[in-house]
Amino acid sequence: MAILGIKLGSHELQILQELQGAWPKLDSPCLKEQVSIILQLGFLGILLLVSLRKLVHLLGNRSNATDQATDRHMICHKSGIIDRSSIVFTALVLGTHLLMLSMLVNGNDATCRSKTQAFSSAIMQVVSWAVTLIVLYKIRREKYMKFPWILRAWWMCNFLLSLFCTTLDINYIIKSHSHLRTRDLANFMCLLASTGLFSISIRGKTGMVFSHADGMREPLLSEKVKKHSESKRKSPYGKATLLQLITFSWLNPLFAVGIKKPLEQNDVPDLDIEDSAAFSSHSFSNCIKQVKDNDGAKNPSIYKAIFFFIRKKAAINALFAVVGAGATYVGPYLIDDFVNFLTDKKSRSLESGYLLTLAFVGAKMVETTAQRQWTFGAHQLGLQLRAALVSHIYKKGLVLSGQSRQSHTSGEIINYMSVDVQRITDLIYYLNLFLILPIQISLAIYILQTKLGLGSVAALAATFTVMACNIPLTRTQEKYQSKIMEAKDSRMKSTSEVLRNIKTIKLQAWDNQFLNKLESLRKIEYEWLWKSKRLGALSGFIFWGSPTFISIVTFGTCMLMGIELTAGRVLAALATFQMLQDPIFSLPDLLNVLAQSKVSADRVASYLQEDEIQQNAIEYIPKNQTRFDIEIINATFSWNPDLITPTMSDIELKVKRGMKVAICGTVGSGKSSLLSCILGEIEKLSGQVKISGTKAYVPQSPWILSGNIRDNILFGNPYDPDKYDRTVQSCALVKDFELFSAGDLTEIGERGINMSGGQKQRIQIARAVYQDADIYLLDDPFSAVDAHTGTQLFADCLMGMLKDKTILYVTHQVEFLPAADLILVMRDGRIAQAGKFEDLLKQNIGFEVLVGAHSEALKSILTVENSSRTTQDPTADGKSSKDFNSTAEIQPREHDSEHDLSLDKSEKEGRLVQDEEREKGSLGKEVYWSYLTTVKGGVLVLIILLAQASFQILLVASNYWMAWVFPPTSDTEPVYKMDIILLVYVLLAVGSSLCILLRALLLAVAGLWTAQTLFTKMLHSVMQAPMALFDSTPTGRILSRASTDQSVLDLEMAWSVGWCAFSIIQLLGTIAVMSQVAWEVFVIFIPVTAICIWYQQYYIATARELARLSGIQRAPILHHFAESIAGAATIRAFDQEDRFTGGNLGLVDNHSRPWFYNVSTMEWLSFRLDLLSNFVFAFSLVLLVSLPEGIIDPSIAGLAVTYGITLSELQASVVWHLCNAENKMISFERILQYSNLASEAALLIEDSRPPSNWPETGKICFRNLKIRYAEHLPSVLKNITCTFPGRRKIGVVGRTGSGKSTLIQAIFRTVEPREGSIIIDDIDISKIGLHDLRSRLSIIPQDPTMFEGTVRGNLDPLEQFSDREVWEALEKCQLGDIVRGKEEKLDFAVVENGENWSAGQRQLFCLGRALLKKSSILVLDEATASVDSATDGVIQKIISQEFKNRTVVTIAHRIHTVIDSDHVLVLSEGRIAEFDTPTKLLEREDSFFSKLIREYSMRSQSFSSFSTTK
């Protein structure tokens, strides 16, 4: 050391001795060189192997180019900045190593004593970097898109080596008090260049731009990327430079737009290709295939697939995380040196102080950059994984088998998409925390061992003790999380069911019953949430108190062992404990997230491994190889293969090209299942199914997509005006389009809610016709349309446009059977009879029963008609019929819609469902205030803040006590005895921990209480909202609030808002400690804080809108999924899986775009705030170094530095938590929107309760009734004045838009009158509560509704009737034998939507409800549309008998259901056209009703004409 001219005192010698213990300098003086040689040999060896492999490959197949090289006709247009930077950085490193080699040659001493090793290392460095430069030139010549993996790995390893060497050099200079040498400066230059190369290696892309020989320019893309890039404009992230990637300045253009105006979806740039849902989905599919190939398993492990999907990006993120974690511990390691420097400034040079400052700040800069990059990378990877999982969940939903579909309801699958996938992607972020946890603990123990010797063993033992305490807590937490998800599934399933069937629930007055059901399900969920929160509070207490516990154990051990403690050592230990707190404190979160993610991943994996529909069930035969379009040979099918009895058995069917095949049979005989066999929907147990040609399918329950009518008809096909017009004409939609405000561009509500049943049916028939398929499968297409329209459809569509097509149609209308080439009569899952109409009648084994029932109904009409006339011209019928068809008078068709679109001329013409509302601008203070004061007016919030403030004060006091009481050097004795010191410290520490326990418990209580209060308010608000809300609001919007937003309130909201306050209190504590030492810190802190606030305001304007857009774009994904699941059979039949999957990918991207840019803007802000914090910290250090000795207490200064180390984290934490809270508060804002909806009238009015026997006679009086759906719309019903006599049957007829359905709604008050009144048995229904009104009336709707549960629960949800009464009702509605045949009887399960019952059976269940209820007034809304004629006849007799002395109001398509009425009401354009008895109306030949009967009877008498003219 004498050579360096430094005089060493005893203190310096002591430091050097410690240095020798810490760094293996003497034992291994050539450590750097040895590591370097190993690294160079590894690089050159691997490079040689790769080169040899490529050489062999080229010799074996000269025609193949390298994988990454592009076509030779690609001409390099220009090299990118990344490519040029890599060459510059490499040349700089090479030059530096040449300089160091020349210094060795000239005799300059190296640190390494072995000249052989020193020269070997230097020469190999020069060779390696020269080879690297050659490889880079080769990359430019070969037009590589990405740098080779070997080069990237070499750059990463070299960066770590440079970092290691520089750290050793700085440590040596500080410890030995030596001056900087040329070699040190050269090493520092190498580190800078290596850092640049490290950044380039992370990015991986060369950035070169190429052009085709024809001049077209494009960035070089791989084939896989090109496929998805055509429709994408380039994202700013994709074309960002290296500096922009580090600083996130590629987001600046977005901020420039966001600060000027609220962002819209179109303002948000596209995603990079690799972040798109299509790319992610494709990559994940490849990973699943890879796992399947590797394992040879039918169901590949989802965990392995996820691992393969994330491994590359996750490894890069992990590298950043490790570097950041290492840089974090540089500060605690150097604190002791800093205190020693301040204590002994006289014998130290300022240079060494500034060098210490540089080391502090340099480490903070590395930490800042690395942390921001790995956080961003984790979010980006999470985005890619979420897109991949959502797309696969969607794809799986389209191919689920019937049995699997029943075990996973749409509500459950929506939870998989929204909650479970989010939890799995959250794990991606926490994986890096898992990785750096052991590194952080190891570094902490190393620092403690250096400062405290054997005291570090106690610290290690205490650390592991605290961690071990969490194992049982985590296991319990995992169990709670699983229970929470089960409870949430149940609640969401019921919520989805309630929203889907809300109209039935309101009409049946079951509001309170289902409200109570949802509340009870929520109560179960709440109980598990509370247990989880309570356990979380205990975990929080343990781990917040852990640094205190570890420090007490460590210092206590040091005192017992006699280890000398100085202020510097104590502060270094405290700083380390503070750093150690982060991994320990994050451990419960990590384990909790791991538990949640495992539960969610298991659920998603279980779903993705469910059985799919048989892919090989159908054999497709080319048309030129067969004359049969459909051929089923001795086949057996079953919806549930586990059952002994198959659904369909012994099926033999051959259908020639162009044949018309009718399928008929009683309810539940297997008609729809036969079509499912042909579609491949039902599992084939044996036999063969052969199809030749394309298929089109019309399901029994209309499936209509949200969007306009034209899109529904085109269904992804190009628009051909001529073909489209012919399709619309043949499906009798022309007049409907004329009535709609925007014609065929009129928007349809969710599930076609604003269309009538007949309109929906005809739209989906038009969809099938427009497809121009070879085979048409029509499942009861005429049930929802009236007789006239049905005949027109049959003549113009089936026998017109489709006359040359093969058609199989299920029907209950006998008049459409004679025209068929083949009639199949189904019975008990078998084809009981097959043949032509006349042949089947002769067989006399069942078919004649169906025909006979139809003939009886026709006979009753003819009897009434003939008795009403004395004379009739034989030719008058034909003439009248012709006139009737050609006039614009009444065409009685299906009932009108809930919202009469013929009059819906709103501001946005043709639109019912408007875009989802979103707040704009900043969240008002009232939103925060509303959240904070929801529970107990905010009293708990004050106590929580007081507890946190007390914790912070006591924590600072305990640290201040330790810094003040111990001397800066070992030469001075402590102020107090060691036992007193420890006792005071323990008291302060325990006090702070108790404050944390109080805070954690109160935060859990307040947060969950608030969430529950808001849930209850939203639930009541939604359930009491008028039907208009549900007509115009997709259920996805409500479900996303009840699912995702409610989860935020349950689990995250209180934590986010609480941490805003906690981090501010922590920051104030840190500033207070730092200002104790040097008040000048305030001079810089105030302007820096102002800049931080400005940045925050600049940031939040953009981020807030991005968060809102992200929330809004989530609902369409769920809505589209729910629609797709409902129509999966139709999508598969039309071979439209790819189109719908593409639509899902587009919706995922629409959500991912604002989400990605939202998390990116957070990193943009955090990076800038970290830089500002580092500047304040640097200023503080320079100030402390520069101040003369004696002005400040070195111990307290050391304490200030201890707190200053975390200043950047705290300052960033404050802003991050403020922004995070604002983003999370958007969920609260969205729930608040639906907590204050406009409400229906009161359910009960205590002062105006009707008598218990009301209505007694059922007399209904309409007085000057006027109704319109909105103030800006014209009236739908105009001056309706008439009286329905009590205990009579009233038939209501009229064409679409005439107001029939509105009249029914008015009786049930789902729409309120604008003027006039409805009086039932002398009581004005507007004066009584809705529950009193609706519970006394009965309705059988056209769309039958069943709920998941049991047979009994569906018939008697309110549990008002005995089993005997329920059985009686089942017998009367023809279901007794079927239910009795089930093993569980009344407890037989009903799945979601009643899908394990046929449509006809579901309608019979609705009849059963009405029979049980026995109301004085019954409304039938085409209640028997889905049953055969025989069953219809029986039902009509039952209704006549059971409701003999009751008022029955019937809207019907089958004329015989109206002909027996006591009175008939004919509506036209919202007015009464006719109202009288059928007999009197028929006496007037010019009456609308008379014309209708004539036309129907004539058509029915000649129904066989189709077969004769065909």
Side-chain angles (χ1 to χ4, degrees), residues 287 321 337 346 561 653 742 757 856 894 1289:
C287 294
D337 299 309
K346 288 179 181 176
M561 296 178 68
L653 178 64
E856 286 292 322
E894 64 279 356
K1289 290 179 69 178

Side-chain angles (χ1 to χ4, degrees), residues 401-404 406 611-614 617 635-651 673-674 676-677 680-686 689 829:
S401 68
Q403 195 175 2
S404 301
Q406 289 181 10
D611 290 337
E612 300 179 1
I613 56 171
Q614 283 178 301
T636 303
F637 306 87
S638 181
W639 287 112
N640 186 353
D642 299 333
L643 295 178
I644 299 170
T645 308
T647 310
M648 308 287 290
S649 56
D650 305 326
I651 304 298
S673 293
L674 181 61
S676 296
C677 299
E681 293 295 314
I682 183 169
E683 186 160 345
K684 184 181 70 176
L685 303 180
S686 64
V689 180

Side-chain angles (χ1 to χ4, degrees), residues 552-571:
I552 291 170
V553 171
T554 307
F555 293 143
T557 304
C558 289
M559 290 173 186
L560 289 172
M561 296 178 68
I563 297 170
E564 195 173 24
L565 294 175
T566 64
R569 290 176 182 176
V570 168
L571 289 170

Side-chain angles (χ1 to χ4, degrees), residues 43-338:
F43 167 62
L44 293 171
I46 294 171
L47 190 65
L48 183 63
L49 287 173
V50 171
S51 301
L52 285 172
R53 184 182 167 195
K54 286 203 172 186
L55 184 64
V56 170
H57 176 71
L58 285 172
L59 289 172
N61 188 3
R62 291 178 179 276
S63 63
N64 289 345
T66 60
D67 289 341
Q68 295 192 45
T70 59
D71 297 333
R72 296 302 176 193
H73 66 268
M74 294 288 288
I75 301 167
C76 182
H77 178 75
K78 66 172 182 178
S79 59
I81 190 168
I82 296 175
D83 171 51
R84 293 197 296 270
S85 299
S86 66
I87 294 174
V88 170
F89 287 141
T90 303
L92 183 61
V93 176
L94 178 61
T96 307
H97 284 297
L98 281 169
L99 174 65
M100 287 195 278
L101 180 62
S102 66
M103 288 168 64
L104 276 175
V105 172
N106 292 331
N108 282 21
D109 285 340
T111 312
C112 178
R113 293 179 182 178
S114 169
K115 286 193 175 182
T116 304
Q117 291 190 22
F119 270 104
S120 298
S121 173
I123 290 168
M124 289 191 71
Q125 286 276 16
V126 171
V127 171
S128 296
W129 286 103
V131 169
T132 303
L133 204 58
I134 292 166
V135 170
L136 285 174
Y137 275 109
K138 183 177 181 295
I139 285 170
R140 296 190 77 182
R141 194 178 71 252
E142 295 290 336
K143 308 170 188 148
Y144 277 65
M145 183 190 77
K146 286 187 174 182
F147 291 108
W149 67 268
I150 177 64
L151 200 59
R152 294 167 68 187
W154 158 241
W155 285 341
M156 289 179 187
C157 294
N158 189 73
F159 165 71
L160 294 175
L161 178 66
S162 295
L163 195 64
F164 173 66
C165 295
T166 306
T167 306
L168 287 179
D169 290 342
I170 291 174
N171 183 74
Y172 176 78
I173 292 165
I174 292 168
K175 298 293 185 185
S176 62
H177 306 158
S178 64
H179 296 278
L180 288 171
R181 301 165 298 175
T182 307
R183 181 175 295 280
D184 298 325
L185 291 172
N187 279 335
F188 186 68
M189 288 298 294
C190 269
L191 176 63
L192 290 177
S194 296
T195 304
L197 290 172
F198 172 72
S199 303
I200 291 171
S201 70
I202 298 298
R203 179 69 173 160
K205 294 181 180 178
T206 60
M208 286 187 283
V209 177
F210 293 83
S211 60
H212 288 283
D214 60 4
M216 288 181 66
R217 188 183 307 173
E218 62 173 31
L220 193 59
L221 299 173
S222 70
E223 287 302 316
K224 191 162 63 171
V225 177
K226 281 181 190 175
K227 191 165 64 177
H228 300 297
S229 65
E230 293 172 3
S231 61
K232 290 274 185 186
R233 61 179 187 275
K234 208 164 186 181
S235 74
Y237 171 74
K239 59 182 181 183
T241 63
L242 180 64
L243 184 63
Q244 287 175 327
L245 290 171
I246 293 170
T247 61
F248 297 94
S249 54
W250 51 273
L251 287 163
N252 289 351
L254 184 62
F255 281 108
V257 176
I259 198 69
K260 292 175 184 174
K261 62 160 191 164
L263 286 176
E264 300 293 341
Q265 183 74 9
N266 291 336
D267 297 322
V268 183
D270 277 334
L271 296 166
D272 188 37
I273 298 298
E274 293 184 12
D275 294 327
S276 67
F279 190 96
S280 299
S281 179
H282 180 73
S283 300
F284 193 66
S285 296
N286 289 340
C287 294
I288 290 177
K289 185 175 181 296
Q290 185 180 350
V291 174
K292 192 181 285 188
D293 293 343
N294 292 348
D295 297 351
K298 180 186 174 185
N299 290 321
S301 166
I302 298 300
Y303 290 102
K304 286 184 181 178
I306 290 174
F307 168 74
F308 282 127
F309 182 77
I310 68 172
R311 58 182 176 177
K312 291 180 183 176
K313 182 79 175 173
I316 294 170
N317 291 340
L319 188 60
F320 274 124
V322 169
V323 170
T328 305
Y329 282 85
V330 172
Y333 181 79
L334 295 175
I335 280 178
D336 191 20
D337 299 309
F338 195 75

Side-chain angles (χ1 to χ4, degrees), residues 790-1013:
T791 304
Q792 187 180 345
L793 274 173
F794 194 83
D796 297 347
C797 184
L798 271 70
M799 311 306 290
M801 272 194 82
L802 304 180
K803 66 177 183 296
D804 298 324
K805 307 290 186 181
T806 302
I807 303 174
L808 278 75
Y809 60 97
V810 174
T811 185
H812 293 301
Q813 278 88 332
V814 177
E815 60 261 38
F816 300 129
L817 296 179
D821 300 307
L822 178 67
I823 299 172
L824 305 177
V825 182
M826 303 300 298
R827 188 181 304 124
D828 299 327
R830 287 180 167 83
I831 299 176
Q833 294 174 266
K836 285 187 170 288
F837 187 80
E838 295 82 3
D839 300 334
L840 293 177
L841 280 176
K842 292 172 187 174
Q843 290 178 17
N844 202 29
I845 54 171
F847 179 66
E848 73 287 344
V849 177
L850 299 172
V851 178
H854 172 75
S855 301
E856 286 292 322
L858 179 59
K859 188 177 178 182
S860 66
I861 293 172
L862 295 175
T863 302
V864 173
E865 182 186 9
N866 292 332
S867 65
S868 301
R869 298 181 179 81
T870 52
T871 58
Q872 186 172 330
D873 183 353
T875 61
D877 287 347
K879 185 174 183 294
S880 176
S881 178
K882 185 179 177 183
D883 292 344
F884 179 67
N885 283 332
S886 62
T887 62
E889 292 178 338
I890 300 300
Q891 288 191 8
R893 292 211 288 247
E894 64 279 356
H895 72 280
D896 53 327
S897 62
E898 289 87 66
H899 276 283
D900 185 3
L901 282 184
S902 63
L903 302 166
D904 185 8
K905 295 182 180 175
S906 57
E907 293 168 9
K908 293 186 177 181
E909 190 170 288
R911 295 201 68 181
L912 174 79
V913 180
Q914 303 299 336
D915 292 334
E916 185 170 357
E917 288 183 19
R918 69 177 172 107
E919 304 292 337
K920 293 190 178 180
S922 62
L923 284 164
K925 294 182 181 65
E926 62 276 2
V927 176
Y928 289 94
W929 185 250
S930 175
Y931 179 77
L932 294 173
T933 57
T934 299
V935 174
K936 296 294 182 186
V939 173
L940 290 178
V941 175
L942 292 174
I943 301 172
I944 291 168
L945 291 176
L946 190 61
Q948 177 66 23
S950 303
F951 161 74
Q952 192 65 35
I953 291 166
L954 290 170
L955 185 67
V956 170
S958 63
N959 291 342
Y960 201 94
W961 165 258
M962 294 297 277
W964 174 75
V965 82
F966 283 108
T969 64
S970 54
D971 301 334
T972 315
E973 287 294 318
V975 180
Y976 296 99
K977 290 182 179 179
M978 297 301 283
D979 53 349
I980 299 292
I981 293 171
L982 197 59
L983 178 64
V984 173
Y985 182 70
V986 168
L987 289 173
L988 290 170
V990 170
S992 67
S993 297
L994 290 174
C995 289
I996 278 297
L997 179 61
L998 178 66
R999 184 209 79 183
L1001 281 170
L1002 287 178
L1003 189 65
V1005 170
L1008 203 50
W1009 197 347
T1010 303
Q1012 181 64 11
T1013 304

